[in-house]
Amino acid sequence: AAAPPALGRIAGEDRGGEVPREAAESLGGLPGDHGTTELVRIARSHPAEEVRREAAEALGAKGSDRAIDALRGLIERDRDPAVQDEAVEALAGAYTGSAAGRKTSRDEVRAMLDRVRRTHPSARVRARAAEELAELREEAGGAVSWIPRGGPRS
């Protein structure tokens, strides 16, 4: 039980480099929702873009409602398009996951990705959302009509 806060402190105190990225990765590997609070804090506030990206990836692996909410916030508000891009990929990963007790449906996650594809201010992030939706459609054998075809809208 002491591991998540300790790893969170390690990631938060070190301002860059390998140590905080590894701490975020370790938090992502904890079972269930353990470590999610720390990952959300790191993803929202760490000064290093590469650490926030690692936290976003770990949140996608968690796939819980809290993780999905945090990813949506990163997509909408992070200052770095690389972090937003990683958060889109992680959100798509959360779509295919099945976190215990998650209330957010796959349709809601898909709708989030589609909204990003249509409305995000960054062309890079819109393109990533379109790619992720296309991959989801392909994984479903192309038979899923609710996943839109085509790229991002300008």
Side-chain angles (χ1 to χ4, degrees):
L7 286 169
R9 276 193 306 281
I10 290 168
E13 291 169 2
D14 191 332
R15 293 295 176 209
E18 193 66 25
V19 172
R21 282 196 316 269
E22 291 293 327
E25 184 179 344
S26 295
L27 286 165
L30 294 174
D33 216 21
H34 296 290
T36 300
T37 299
E38 291 78 10
L39 282 169
V40 169
R41 184 180 52 74
I42 293 164
R44 288 180 178 162
S45 64
H46 200 282
E49 164 265 326
E50 66 272 10
V51 175
R52 294 193 317 277
R53 276 194 353 246
E54 186 66 45
E57 182 179 340
L59 285 166
K62 291 287 185 192
S64 67
D65 290 321
R66 289 175 47 209
I68 289 170
D69 285 343
L71 290 169
R72 188 174 57 222
L74 289 174
I75 293 166
E76 294 170 357
R77 293 183 290 278
D78 195 273
R79 65 189 172 273
D80 193 312
V83 174
Q84 295 172 334
D85 193 65
E86 185 66 43
V88 167
E89 184 177 348
L91 184 59
Y95 172 89
T96 58
S98 58
R102 183 170 84 189
K103 292 181 174 75
T104 307
S105 72
R106 286 182 168 198
D107 285 345
E108 289 171 305
V109 173
R110 191 260 333 140
M112 288 177 208
L113 289 167
D114 189 44
R115 190 170 34 257
V116 171
R117 179 190 65 88
R118 291 181 290 106
T119 65
H120 198 279
S122 166
R124 172 185 176 169
V125 175
R126 288 192 312 270
R128 169 62 81 174
E131 289 170 18
E132 295 299 334
L133 284 165
E135 284 182 28
L136 292 175
R137 184 175 48 250
E138 185 178 308
E139 288 171 9
V144 182
S145 62
W146 47 255
I147 298 178
R149 296 184 184 275
R153 296 182 185 179
S154 344

